[in-house]
Each structure stands twice: as structure tokens, then as C-alpha cells.
Amino acid sequence: MSILISGASVAGLAAAQRFSARGAEVTVVERAPGLRRSGAPIDVRGAALDVAADMGIRDTLVGHETGSAQRSAFAHIVDEIGEKVGALPTELPQDSPDDLEIFRSDLIDILHGSIGPDVTFVYGDSIQEVADTGDAVEVGFASGRAGRYELLVGADGIHSATRRLVFGPEERYRRHLGVYYGILSLPAELGADGESYLYSVPGRSVLISDYAQRTMGGFTFLSPEVAYDYHDIEQQRQLVFDAYSCVRGWKVAELLDALKQSEDFYLDSASQVHLDRWSRGRVVLLGDAAFAPSFFSGQGTPLAMIGADVLAAEWASCDGDLDQAFGRYEQTMRPRVRRAQEGVPEARDRIIPATWEAIEARNRRWPPVR
Ligand SMILES: Cc1cc2nc3c(=O)[nH]c(=O)nc-3n(C[C@H](O)[C@H](O)[C@H](O)COP(=O)(O)OP(=O)(O)OC[C@H]3O[C@@H](n4cnc5c(N)ncnc54)[C@H](O)[C@@H]3O)c2cc1C
């Protein structure tokens, strides 16, 4: 069977490996000119570790751990002069303890490296038209190319083109949680002794996390939905400059300076995706495109990997009955997704309290560890 996967990130790469291991003829189309490696370290945990073992990459992932096991299970909260005023737990109550933390770039490379040469990758292109003819999906690409596939897997993230073309406009399915987050690598001199530090003013937080290999910075800020081009980094940088123009104290100025120079800055809305059904005909959604739990949950990556495995396994055993395969995929994944999507507002309010009172209450609840 010929399968087109839109998106070459965690969901798309895991799906490419899982489907091709089961004999499918797989093509992956990615909008970016190459694999996108930026982003903060992410967690692979629970059943996603079993999927990694089945894919033959678990030991490699372990070899690339960020060393989080040696790190504190909290971020120091600091005030405007860097005094420690609190210690915020970095784990959520629903997190499983078998957490393996890895840089997103390493995970992407390892997933990509696990895929055989029989999978075709097309970069710098995007699906533009989709027609499900019943026995095939006919796809027109932005480049002008056309293709005919038996299955289309939309693994193209929270702003999924597949979802828009087949299920309807994004605003029907994506719920903005009132927050944007931006992530970037920082120069070594902003390193923070192997620990994480968080500084908050009402509606705005910044984070510096130091790892053995590199230092990462983060901006998280409350904001209603803003219209911007998801592919225009300069517009995204400007959103952050505007949001922090009045914020002073701690290392905010240095972080904004680093943002000006950053080559790997990544910004997105903290959003969840909710659909009543993840498939239509020969088109099925996977990962954030189908069920983003949001940046706050720490579950987007494990869910994408587990979803890829479940989807490919159901497809392989359905004997051509795609409806049945997609139904079983949803049945298995829905409870996991529901759990991941719950509890997110609490995490948001911990990281970015909206008022000084809320900041002080948070700091009292989690007093400093010196
Ligand atoms: C560059 C980057 C950095 C990230 N950094 C973080 C982070 O720091 N913290 C965090 O919690 N989450 C981050 N994420 C999101 C995280 O990867 C996902 O929440 C999770 O891993 C589920 O992955 P996914 O493959 O479903 O979606 P995503 O990881 O969002 O991947 C979607 C992929 O589809 C591609 N794509 C989009 N539109 C099209 C199109 N029209 N045609 C073809 N391809 C398309 C994108 O370029 C991307 O490669 C980041 C995502 C990206 C792309």
C-alpha cells in the first residue's frame, strides 16, 4: 500500500518507521527545507518507551539523555535581582516516573536514522489539494507535483494543512490556551550551573535551563490569539519583543538580546486540538494535528509516538478495512489523550501567574530550596 505522510517531525517520522516496517510504501512530505531540529528538551515516557524499544532506538535514546536524572526536579523561582524566592516542581502529577528527557534535535535525528532507505522524503513541499476518490487519495502539491496514494496521514502539527483541507478550518478544532511560548538556545555565558531558573511578572515569565551540552531559554506569556504567519520567524520574534517591552529585571534584557541573534528560535501558541473523529475516508490525523495536548502537558511527544505505533499496527491487521483500523486507533488513543489534555490549566497558572497576588501565592506554596 502506498502511504503519504505530511510532516516530518515526531509523529511523521515515527509513523514512517512503523508503517514501512510493516511493508507499506511510504513517502514523507515536509514543508521545511529539511528536518526541523530546534526546540527544548522533550520527554519520552511510559508506553512511548516501549514503542522506542520496538523501533530499536530505546538504547540510543538513553545514550542521548540530557542528564535530567541528575538535575533538580524543580526550577528555582527568582525575583528581579536573582534572589531565590521559590522552587517550582517541573513534573506534573500525571507524569509517569520513567521519564527520559532528550533534546528534541536528538530525538528527531534518532527517529530519522531508524527509517530505512525505502522511505522517500520530499522537503520544501506541501500538500495543497486533496481528493478522496474512494479507492485512493489524489494529492496536489504546492510545487505543482501530483500523487495518488492509498492512505494520507496528516502528521503536520497543530496548524495542520491536512486537517484544514479535509476537516475544515483550524479555528474549529484548535483551542488557544491564552499563552504563547518561545524557545531558543542561549550563549554558554547565560548558563545557570546545571539548574533551571524561572522569573515571573504578571502574565510574563522567562526561563533559563542549563544542561551539560547547552543552555536553553524560554519566554511564556499570556496573550489572546494573535494573527501571524506561522512560517515567518521575524514576526514571531516581534511578538516576543512586544510582549516583553515593559518587562525589566533579572536576565530579561540578556534573553531579549539573545533572541535578536537566535538562529533556532521557535514560537507557537500553547493550544489543544479537539476533533470528534480523527479520520475521514482514506485520510487520518496523527500527533498534534489530531490531538495536541499542548506544550504544558509534556505529553505531545509520547502521544505522537504511541499514536504512530497504534495506527500502523491497526492498519496492518485490518485486512483493508480502514474504517475498522481507524476506529480501533481512536479507541486505544482517546483515553490517553483525554488524560493528557486534563490538568493543563493548572500547569499554565503555575508557570505564568496573571497577577502579583498569584505570583506571591505560588511562591508561598513552593518555597525556595537553597
Ligand atoms: C521546530 C519545532 C520545535 C518544537 N519545539 C517544542 C518545544 O520546545 N516544546 C514543546 O513542548 N513542543 C515543541 N514542538 C512541538 C512538539 O514537537 C510536538 O508537540 C510533539 O512532538 C508532537 O509532534 P508532531 O509531529 O505531531 O507535531 P510537530 O512537532 O509540530 O511537527 C509537525 C511537522 O509538520 C511540518 N508541517 C507543517 N505544515 C506542513 C505542511 N503543510 N506540509 C508538510 N509538513 C508540514 C512541520 O514543519 C513539522 O515538521 C516543536 C515543534 C517543532 C516543529
Side-chain angles (χ1 to χ4, degrees), residues 7 9-11 30-31 36 38-40 104 126 156 161 266 288 301:
S9 178
V10 176
E30 164 61 48
R31 193 183 190 284
R36 298 178 67 192
S38 55
R104 189 177 170 281
S126 169
D156 36 13
Y266 172 79
D288 279 2
T301 297

Side-chain angles (χ1 to χ4, degrees), residues 77-215:
I77 305 170
V78 292
D79 67 8
E80 67 282 5
I81 57 165
E83 281 288 310
K84 291 175 185 163
V85 292
L88 190 69
T90 46
E91 296 293 308
L92 291 171
Q94 63 264 38
D95 289 346
S96 58
D98 51 359
D99 178 16
L100 186 157
E101 190 185 56
I102 180 166
F103 281 102
R104 189 177 170 281
S105 52
D106 290 336
L107 177 60
I108 293 293
D109 285 341
I110 293 166
L111 285 170
H112 185 246
S114 74
I115 296 170
D118 45 330
V119 172
T120 305
F121 282 86
V122 178
Y123 292 105
D125 206 354
S126 169
I127 59 170
Q128 204 167 45
E129 284 167 38
V130 178
D132 188 337
T133 59
D135 57 351
V137 195
E138 290 175 356
V139 177
F141 295 88
S143 60
R145 287 186 318 113
R148 188 178 155 86
Y149 308 89
E150 286 155 83
L151 180 63
L152 167 61
V153 179
D156 36 13
I158 62 171
H159 309 293
S160 168
T162 310
R163 195 183 57 223
R164 174 171 46 77
L165 292 169
V166 177
F167 296 77
E170 180 167 320
E171 51 273 23
R172 225 183 267 169
Y173 306 112
R174 185 173 64 81
R175 297 185 194 161
H176 175 61
L177 300 177
V179 175
Y180 286 89
Y181 71 98
I183 306 279
L184 68 166
S185 299
L186 295 177
E189 59 271 21
L190 278 175
D193 60 22
E195 300 274 337
S196 293
Y197 288 80
L198 178 77
Y199 169 61
S200 302
V201 299
R204 308 274 180 273
S205 286
V206 291
L207 181 78
I208 295 182
S209 274
D210 203 20
Y211 300 88
Q213 310 92 319
R214 67 187 99 152
T215 304

Side-chain angles (χ1 to χ4, degrees), residues 211-286:
Y211 300 88
Q213 310 92 319
R214 67 187 99 152
T215 304
M216 303 296 300
F219 298 90
T220 45
F221 54 99
L222 299 183
S223 165
E225 185 93 57
V226 180
Y228 67 94
D229 181 347
Y230 303 131
H231 310 295
D232 183 338
I233 295 290
E234 292 317 315
Q235 276 190 38
Q236 297 171 26
R237 256 190 253 268
Q238 195 54 48
L239 279 183
V240 176
F241 289 131
D242 292 346
Y244 288 79
S245 62
C246 297
V247 181
R248 305 279 177 273
W250 194 51
K251 298 189 180 178
V252 173
E254 288 95 323
L255 277 160
L256 289 170
D257 256 0
L259 174 59
K260 279 184 205 147
Q261 324 289 335
S262 171
E263 287 176 3
D264 69 351
F265 176 59
Y266 172 79
L267 177 131
D268 214 328
S269 135
S271 291
Q272 290 189 339
V273 171
H274 295 260
L275 281 97
D276 291 339
R277 192 151 163 89
W278 299 334
S279 64
R280 189 167 285 180
R282 292 182 169 272
V283 182
V284 62
L285 299 175
L286 173 67

